[in-house]
């Protein structure tokens, strides 16, 4: 994708700014009633300048065509629904632009440098803050509730609907335990060691898995298991890892977490009658309603139309249904291209860690998308762009390091 590594140190610095702003800094709201901004949004001019100055190093890839087609479908859906004057809808274009800029920047970043100088320091800080939050040390949850998008997850942390002591699901600075679980799943994937790694390298994986389980996300637990099984099934002969040590590390992280967990929530995954699962039943009701609306407009959907969900106090709880509702079945196909194409192109090349990271994180995102909206989340969307960028820059980095 790139023909040289000029500006790679600058890209590494930018990658650090992006990850810190994404995972550690609160969102900004300059005026009540207006949309909030991530700090990364303030960095966008700098990020765009970086990409522009290195435009000659970027060669065209089919993935770019898929992104452009997705943008055109968004515009078509907005036009077909008479929403050309609705400013809120155009934020979806901006999110797609940010996604594209981030993955281009990370195409210039060498994975070993990113893990050593950026990912590990940020992970340590994030782990400390999350553990402080989990045990509410120094009353940190009051600070998080005031300055981060924690909402009811922080306000009623460790309490049930009656205000009595209940399950603690670690939402941290992400504002949601399901999102937080995927964040630590991302770090766990980054920290999977290659064969020959020193024993202490597995401690990073154990720590990430431990924190992931403290979030108690049933969907992400299933996604992580599916990802692990598919990794061993597809990549065991091509990637140089020690399967036994990885499995033992995952189990160690899980067992340590179970010592702290009030595990009724996770236990319900195996013991609860699905016909009595109120969360799942609520999702079925919403999905039925949205599918009926999809049938009304099957080709170009209803447009971004976020206020429909706000006004009806409704969450789609499925990325696939949400994208179909917004942009029709054409939009769903293109969305699947955005989600799956980068990983599909790595099949057969999973012997390289960059590609394996993208393959694994795509599985995590795809499975979570069945009952959640990870791609619609501004934080997780950028993490996915990071995984794509690290994979796309592989060939260029390998050539320069010879």
């Amino acid at each position: 994708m790139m023909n040289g590594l000029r500006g790679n140190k600058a890209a590494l610095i930018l990658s650090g700014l992006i990850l810190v702003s994404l995972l550690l800094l609160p969102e900004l709201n300059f005026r009540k009633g207006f949309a909030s901004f991530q700090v990364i949004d303030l960095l966008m001019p700098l990020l765009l300048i970086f990409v522009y100055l290195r435009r000659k190093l970027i060669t065209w890839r089919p993935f770019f065509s898929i992104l452009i087609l997705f943008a055109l479908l968004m515009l078509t859906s907005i036009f077909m629904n008479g929403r050309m004057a609705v400013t809120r809808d155009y934020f979806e274009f901006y999110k797609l632009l940010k996604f594209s800029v981030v993955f281009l920047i990370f195409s210039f970043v060498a994975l070993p440098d990113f893990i050593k100088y950026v990912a590990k320091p940020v992970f340590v800080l994030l782990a400390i803050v999350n553990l402080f939050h989990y045990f509410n040390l120094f009353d940190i949850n009051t600070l998080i509730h005031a300055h981060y998008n924690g909402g009811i997850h922080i306000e009623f942390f460790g309490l049930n609907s009656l205000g009595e002591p209940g399950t603690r699901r670690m939402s941290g600075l992400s504002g949601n335990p399901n999102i937080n679980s995927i964040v630590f799943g991302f770090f766990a994937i980054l920290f999977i060691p290659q064969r020959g790694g020193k024993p202490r390298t597995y401690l990073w994986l154990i720590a990430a898995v431990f924190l992931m389980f403290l979030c108690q996300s049933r969907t992400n637990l299933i996604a992580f298991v599916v990802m692990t099984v598919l990794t061993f099934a597809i990549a065991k002969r091509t990637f140089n890892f020690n399967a036994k040590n990885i499995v033992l590390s995952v189990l160690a992280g899980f067992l340590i977490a179970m010592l702290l967990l009030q595990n009724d929530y996770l236990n319900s995954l195996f013991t609860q009658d699905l016909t009595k699962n109120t969360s799942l039943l609520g999702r079925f009701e919403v999905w039925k309603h949205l599918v009926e609306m999809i049938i009304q407009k099957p080709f170009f959907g209803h447009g971004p139309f976020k206020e429909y969900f706000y006004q009806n106090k409704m969450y789609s709880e499925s990325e696939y249904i949400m994208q179909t509702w917004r942009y029709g079945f054409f939009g769903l196909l293109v969305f699947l291209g955005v989600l799956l194409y980068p990983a599909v192109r790595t099949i057969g090349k999973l012997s390289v860690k960059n590609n394996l990271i993208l393959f694994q994180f795509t599985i995590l995102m795809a499975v979570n998308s069945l009952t959640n909206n990870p791609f619609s989340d501004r934080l997780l969307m950028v993490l996915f762009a990071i995984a794509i960028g690290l994979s796309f820059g592989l060939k260029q980095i390998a050539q320069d390091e010879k």
Side-chain angles (χ1 to χ4, degrees):
M1 182 178 181
M2 315 294 178
N3 299 316
L5 272 176
R6 290 180 294 170
N8 217 41
K9 290 182 179 179
L12 187 63
I13 292 172
L14 289 178
S15 75
L17 292 175
I18 290 171
L19 206 64
V20 168
S21 67
L22 191 68
L23 299 179
L24 294 172
L25 301 182
E27 293 184 351
L28 306 172
N29 197 326
F30 297 108
R31 189 173 177 183
K32 191 174 182 180
F34 282 73
S36 60
F37 295 89
Q38 295 174 301
V39 175
I40 186 177
D41 297 317
L42 302 180
L43 296 174
M44 276 297 287
L46 181 62
L47 304 182
L48 286 167
I49 289 173
F50 178 89
V51 172
Y52 176 78
L53 293 176
R54 287 150 184 84
R55 65 192 183 281
K56 293 182 179 179
L57 301 176
I58 302 172
T59 55
W60 193 263
R61 286 296 181 92
F63 186 57
F64 297 171
S65 300
I66 298 175
L67 291 175
I68 291 173
L69 182 57
F70 198 23
L72 290 175
L73 272 172
M74 288 180 184
L75 186 62
T76 302
S77 182
I78 290 171
F79 176 78
M80 296 293 289
N81 286 283
R83 298 179 58 82
M84 299 296 288
V86 181
T87 306
R88 183 193 296 265
D89 285 7
Y90 294 99
F91 278 97
E92 295 304 308
F93 285 97
Y94 171 72
K95 286 169 62 178
L96 200 59
L97 172 64
K98 180 164 64 174
F99 176 85
S100 304
V101 169
V102 169
F103 97 72
L104 284 173
I105 287 174
F106 274 82
S107 294
F108 287 95
V109 177
L111 179 63
D113 290 342
F114 173 68
I115 292 178
K116 180 179 180 180
Y117 297 111
V118 177
K120 286 186 175 180
V122 170
F123 173 77
V124 170
L125 291 174
L126 195 64
I128 292 171
V129 172
N130 271 267
L131 289 174
F132 273 42
H133 148 64
Y134 190 81
F135 296 105
N136 196 22
L137 299 178
F138 307 109
D139 197 27
I140 193 174
N141 286 340
T142 300
L143 178 67
I144 294 175
H145 185 264
H147 298 287
Y148 290 82
N149 186 28
I152 61 173
H153 294 292
I154 296 296
E155 186 177 353
F156 296 102
F157 179 70
L159 302 174
N160 60 23
S161 58
L162 299 177
E164 301 169 339
T167 302
R168 287 187 293 176
R169 300 182 62 205
M170 190 172 71
S171 57
L173 304 182
S174 303
N176 183 293
N178 294 322
I179 294 172
N180 210 33
S181 180
I182 299 174
V183 169
F184 285 116
F186 174 76
F187 280 107
I189 289 169
L190 282 182
F191 296 154
I192 292 177
Q194 290 181 269
R195 190 186 298 275
K198 297 179 181 179
R200 68 170 179 266
T201 61
Y202 290 92
L203 295 177
W204 291 96
L205 175 59
I206 292 171
V209 170
F210 162 68
L211 292 166
M212 183 184 72
F213 279 122
L214 285 185
C215 300
Q216 297 206 63
S217 171
R218 291 175 292 197
T219 304
N220 196 50
L221 171 60
I222 294 172
F224 197 82
V225 170
V226 171
M227 180 272 291
T228 303
V229 170
L230 288 178
T231 297
F232 291 156
I234 296 175
K236 66 180 179 180
R237 294 183 179 178
T238 57
F239 187 67
N240 185 26
F241 54 51
N242 189 316
K244 183 180 75 173
N245 287 351
I246 291 172
V247 171
L248 289 175
S249 297
V250 171
L251 289 176
F254 173 72
L255 291 174
I256 295 170
M258 292 300 287
L259 295 175
L260 296 176
L261 290 176
Q262 294 168 292
N263 52 30
D264 291 343
Y265 185 81
L266 278 179
N267 283 343
S268 67
L269 175 66
F270 308 102
T271 61
Q272 187 176 27
D273 184 347
L274 291 180
T275 62
K276 298 179 181 178
N277 186 316
T278 55
S279 175
L280 194 59
L281 291 175
R283 281 180 166 91
F284 285 148
E285 288 296 319
V286 172
W287 293 342
K288 179 182 177 183
H289 173 72
L290 294 179
V291 168
E292 290 172 352
M293 294 184 70
I294 289 170
I295 293 172
Q296 296 171 9
K297 295 184 177 182
F299 298 110
F300 298 107
H302 296 264
F305 202 1
K306 289 184 177 181
E307 59 269 31
Y308 180 82
F309 294 91
Y310 297 148
Q311 292 167 1
N312 291 279
K313 297 180 180 179
M314 181 189 302
Y315 300 93
S316 69
E317 300 291 9
S318 171
E319 195 68 59
Y320 305 114
I321 292 178
M322 164 70 88
Q323 296 297 335
T324 311
W325 185 89
R326 282 182 166 180
Y327 310 117
F329 289 105
F330 292 147
L332 175 63
L333 290 174
V334 177
F335 166 72
L336 290 174
V338 174
L339 178 64
L340 301 177
Y341 171 79
V344 169
R345 60 177 280 279
T346 68
I347 300 296
K349 305 173 184 176
L350 297 178
S351 58
V352 185
K353 188 171 176 63
N354 304 57
N355 287 334
L356 189 65
I357 288 171
L358 174 58
F359 175 78
Q360 292 175 313
F361 194 59
T362 298
I363 295 172
L364 216 62
M365 292 283 283
V367 176
N368 273 283
S369 292
L370 292 170
T371 57
N372 287 294
N373 297 90
F375 196 84
S376 297
D377 182 78
R378 293 190 293 182
L379 187 160
L380 297 179
M381 191 176 185
V382 174
L383 281 186
F384 186 52
I386 289 172
I388 294 174
L390 291 172
S391 174
F392 269 44
L394 174 64
K395 182 178 179 182
Q396 157 252 342
I397 290 171
Q399 288 175 342
D400 260 47
E401 288 182 345
K402 287 182 179 179

